Amino acid sequence: MRYFLCFICPPAAVLTTGRIGSFILSIILTIFFWIPGIIYAILVTSDFYSARRNRRVVRAIRANRY
């Protein structure tokens, strides 16, 4: 859903990740240039998913260690 939102409204996709600084930069990029705003939103969304995946792996490793 977030990737679809990246193409329709890039700042909204970045806002759903909870990163306020990235949201402001996304607004600036989208206002001046639409395509860089989309690319930036895709990168932020991808980073959000990889960070979430990493947190799950670390949590599982810690749960199995003790």
Side-chain angles (χ1 to χ4, degrees):
M1 179 65 182
R2 280 192 181 107
Y3 286 114
F4 177 72
L5 203 55
C6 288
F7 290 101
I8 302 302
C9 185
V14 173
L15 185 62
T16 61
T17 64
R19 300 176 180 174
I20 301 302
S22 295
F23 172 68
I24 294 169
L25 182 58
S26 178
I27 288 175
I28 293 169
L29 285 172
T30 304
I31 287 173
F32 292 117
F33 312 102
W34 187 262
I35 301 299
I38 292 172
I39 293 170
Y40 183 71
I42 290 172
L43 291 174
V44 170
T45 303
S46 175
D47 183 55
F48 171 75
Y49 283 130
S50 66
R52 188 170 70 175
R53 193 170 39 250
N54 186 25
R55 282 192 302 264
R56 272 195 234 151
V57 169
V58 168
R59 203 174 315 132
I61 289 171
R62 286 183 181 166
N64 289 331
R65 182 181 293 174
Y66 301 113

